[in-house]
Amino acid sequence: MGSEGEFEFSDEKWRYTWESQSHTPILRLLLFPIISKTLNPSFKQHNLTVYLHSPPSFLTITSSSSAAALSLRVPIPNVLLDADSPPTLRLFTDHIELKLLLLLPVDHPVISAVHQTSPIHLPLQMEYDVDKLSSVGEVEFVCRSCGYNLTKKPIRNFVEMPSANWREVADNWFGACCCSFGGISEKLVTRYVNSHSCAQGMCLLSSTSVIFYKDDLVESDFPKPCDQHEYVSDDFGGDGVSEGTGSSGLSEERTSTCSDAGEANCAFDENAMIAHPEKGQLSANFRYEVVKNEPDCSDFARTCPDLNDTEDVNNISSCCAHMSSTLGDKDGEHHLSRNARKIETAEIVGNQKSFLNGFLGDVFMARSSNLTKDIEWHEFTCPRCPTPLGAYPCCGGCAPVDEGVRLFKCYISTCVPVLGPGDIFSKYTVDKMFANRLMECANDESTFRFVVRDLTTKSPFLQIVLLNPDAWSCSGNCSNAEDKDPVPKLQLRPVIKVLFSDCKAAAESQLRMVDEWAAKNSAEDIFMLPYHIQDLVNSLIAAKDLYPSSCSSLHGLTLSSLQQ
């Protein structure tokens, strides 16, 4: 019988972690003690024996040394092992590494065909889920934490939200110029904005969130709409009125509420004139009268003058034939004709412009281009439990500017019981959604360094470096080699490996170092709500224990992983 110390070590609990890479036929096993954190110095590589049991559902590792007893059974995931290639074993100070060769990479389609009873786990495909929800008919959305019904009545109308860069897509497809075919772009953009506004009984869907009309939510207590205030914008641009360098500028003023509900009538000032003909500058004054009305997301109609005077023959050339104008000279002053032909055009205003620019879109993980100082985001919590389910945009602490409340799919369910077989959102989790969006951001910005900031205070909460977006992993506790219990079936799951550092409780000097690190390494800023950042940090902290101590840190950052 061994000594007391040897007996305690033989009863040490061990953890295993299987890892592999996409398109790489190598399977790596990490074995390490959970409590002691280091290996017994008496372990020698030549004293360890690895045996693959046929069929290869598990392997055993035993030690022939009486000074360091070891007897472990480790289940093998569903992969195709190369039986002719012996395993490679290495010892480190705190873990044992074992490498096995595969016939095919773990993500090869043949693997799913071979193991039809337990197909491989694929990365989360973040979809709009319009077809799935519409096929159900009436859907009752509930809080995933407490099962509380969030809507006053079931929702049956679902509309897909287009991407935030819809204007750029339209310009690239139809052209951005106002002449010829390009005018279609602006018309389509206007129609797009008006057709995708929040309405009672309708649910708007994005890849990460569900947008409800505020009055469709139960026990929703929102502030009253803001008082009227002015918006000033410079949306007009003019062509030169002479062959020189002159340009025309038109200014406009509009009075509106935060929800921009109303109709605008534009009256052209009959006394508008060219004030500085010698400089080739054109000035004109427009007056807008806003009639307060119920929010109906209707277009604002604008009537603008056609700079055309039949009494003068000085035609001005322009890139747009229909925009050419003629100026007249009377008593040394250039006057615009009182009988100018009015052209009615559609105008995008207020919250519609914010929506079109991406400021009112998806804020599960927002970028700098999706934020504006005029829009504040407030958390929306479950009426029964204190779980924050999403957010809504405000202007000066008022009601939602677009009447919509965004609830994230990872915090709600589409049926009771939650996460059941009928729950369409059951596969959505914070870490999977974040991993998906993080890889999108990495591909778009060509960077792998990020700083996650508080959406409200803009303070850094988390440093993240994306190490490997194509990893597969699974983990668990080892059993004794003599154990006769059935061997559990393992499935490798797609993960991303990251380095992270929690900055929430960092001192002011450390926060400055984070900002300096971000500037030096061109790190991308991403913004999330505090509660959701904390959920993400908890997932990262839990996953870091899947690796031995010697592999858990690099350059002051902690190694971890997130499921895809």
Side-chain angles (χ1 to χ4, degrees), residues 294-526:
E294 293 296 328
D296 58 357
C297 301
S298 61
D299 291 339
F300 278 62
R302 179 173 62 200
T303 57
C304 300
D306 183 13
L307 304 181
N308 185 17
D309 192 342
T310 57
E311 297 179 359
D312 192 80
V313 294
N314 295 324
N315 295 327
I316 306 300
S317 60
S318 173
C319 70
C320 308
H322 65 283
M323 292 296 292
S324 62
S325 60
T326 306
L327 301 179
D329 188 357
K330 182 179 181 181
D331 297 332
E333 293 182 347
H334 296 267
H335 291 272
L336 296 175
S337 173
R338 296 184 180 182
N339 298 323
R341 180 168 51 90
K342 297 181 179 180
I343 302 175
E344 185 176 0
T345 60
E347 181 184 358
I348 301 172
V349 294
N351 67 310
Q352 294 179 331
K353 291 181 180 179
S354 297
F355 171 71
L356 190 61
N357 293 330
F359 300 148
L360 302 182
D362 191 356
V363 291
F364 173 78
M365 198 181 97
R367 304 186 197 178
S368 300
S369 58
N370 303 128
L371 301 180
T372 174
K373 62 181 180 180
D374 298 327
I375 300 296
E376 301 173 356
W377 288 93
H378 291 191
E379 284 187 344
F380 178 85
T381 59
C382 174
R384 174 182 291 179
C385 67
T387 304
L389 304 179
Y392 57 91
C394 295
C395 178
C398 302
V401 295
D402 62 348
E403 310 293 336
V405 179
R406 285 86 173 143
L407 303 187
F408 301 138
K409 294 180 180 179
C410 56
Y411 293 110
I412 61 176
S413 296
T414 59
C415 66
V416 177
V418 298
L419 302 180
D423 188 359
I424 298 175
F425 297 158
S426 60
K427 295 183 179 180
Y428 288 86
T429 61
V430 175
D431 48 352
K432 289 182 179 181
M433 290 169 56
F434 179 82
N436 191 293
R437 295 297 300 273
L438 190 71
M439 289 191 295
E440 287 183 8
C441 188
N443 293 330
D444 293 343
E445 305 298 335
S446 299
T447 182
F448 300 97
R449 298 177 178 89
F450 305 90
V451 176
V452 182
R453 297 180 181 271
D454 187 341
L455 182 63
T456 55
T457 65
K458 309 302 184 291
S459 299
F461 262 46
L462 191 65
Q463 283 179 272
I464 284 191
V465 178
L466 180 60
L467 289 182
N468 189 349
D470 299 316
W472 295 74
S473 178
C474 63
S475 182
N477 293 333
C478 302
S479 58
N480 191 281
E482 304 300 328
D483 195 349
K484 301 301 181 181
D485 293 338
V487 179
K489 294 183 178 181
L490 292 185
Q491 285 285 354
L492 291 172
R493 296 178 179 271
V495 299
I496 61 171
K497 296 183 71 174
V498 298
L499 294 172
F500 80 97
S501 176
D502 187 3
C503 310
K504 180 179 179 180
E508 188 68 26
S509 58
Q510 293 175 309
L511 295 180
R512 286 196 299 268
M513 293 177 62
V514 172
D515 291 333
E516 293 174 359
W517 174 86
K520 179 181 179 181
N521 295 281
S522 300
E524 180 72 11
D525 286 334
I526 51 182

Side-chain angles (χ1 to χ4, degrees), residues 15-233:
R15 174 166 290 166
Y16 66 84
T17 296
W18 290 101
E19 281 191 339
S20 186
Q21 311 293 326
S22 296
H23 316 299
T24 304
I26 296 177
L27 184 65
R28 187 173 73 146
L29 172 64
L30 300 177
L31 290 169
F32 53 97
I34 299 176
I35 300 176
S36 61
K37 303 296 183 182
T38 57
L39 296 184
N40 190 326
S42 301
F43 275 132
K44 302 297 180 182
Q45 184 167 329
H46 63 273
N47 292 331
L48 296 178
T49 302
V50 179
Y51 183 74
L52 295 176
H53 293 258
S54 181
S57 58
F58 69 96
L59 61 83
T60 56
I61 299 180
T62 57
S63 173
S64 59
S65 173
S66 59
L70 182 65
S71 177
L72 300 176
R73 186 181 73 167
V74 182
I76 300 176
N78 285 338
V79 293
L80 294 180
L81 294 176
D82 186 354
D84 296 332
S85 299
T88 303
L89 184 69
R90 295 178 63 189
L91 290 180
F92 295 87
T93 57
D94 62 346
H95 70 280
I96 301 173
E97 181 187 77
L98 186 69
K99 287 186 178 181
L100 304 173
L101 290 182
L102 303 176
L103 294 176
L104 293 172
V106 294
D107 58 342
H108 198 281
V110 174
I111 304 297
S112 297
V114 173
H115 302 284
Q116 293 183 357
T117 57
S118 55
I120 62 174
H121 293 273
L122 297 176
L124 173 65
Q125 299 295 326
M126 293 175 56
E127 302 174 347
Y128 290 82
D129 301 310
V130 174
D131 294 336
K132 295 179 182 178
L133 292 170
S134 299
S135 63
V136 175
E138 294 183 344
V139 180
E140 293 185 354
F141 295 89
V142 299
C143 172
R144 187 177 292 186
S145 298
C146 64
Y148 185 70
N149 200 331
L150 299 172
T151 55
K152 296 178 180 178
K153 59 182 180 180
I155 305 296
R156 58 188 310 170
N157 296 324
F158 303 95
V159 178
E160 179 178 322
M161 291 290 292
S163 59
N165 62 340
W166 202 94
R167 180 193 287 272
E168 298 176 8
V169 175
D171 287 344
N172 292 336
W173 185 261
F174 295 106
C177 180
C178 59
C179 65
S180 182
F181 200 58
I184 297 178
S185 173
E186 291 301 322
K187 295 179 182 178
L188 290 179
V189 169
T190 304
R191 182 180 300 176
Y192 148 67
V193 171
N194 294 328
S195 62
H196 292 88
S197 55
C198 299
Q200 193 164 6
M202 185 176 67
C203 175
L204 304 180
L205 296 168
S206 70
S207 59
T208 61
S209 60
V210 181
I211 306 178
F212 296 98
Y213 185 70
K214 64 181 182 63
D215 292 338
D216 286 338
L217 298 174
V218 297
E219 301 182 22
S220 55
D221 184 16
F222 297 99
K224 295 181 180 180
C226 299
D227 295 332
Q228 292 186 353
H229 64 279
E230 291 187 354
Y231 289 92
V232 178
S233 60

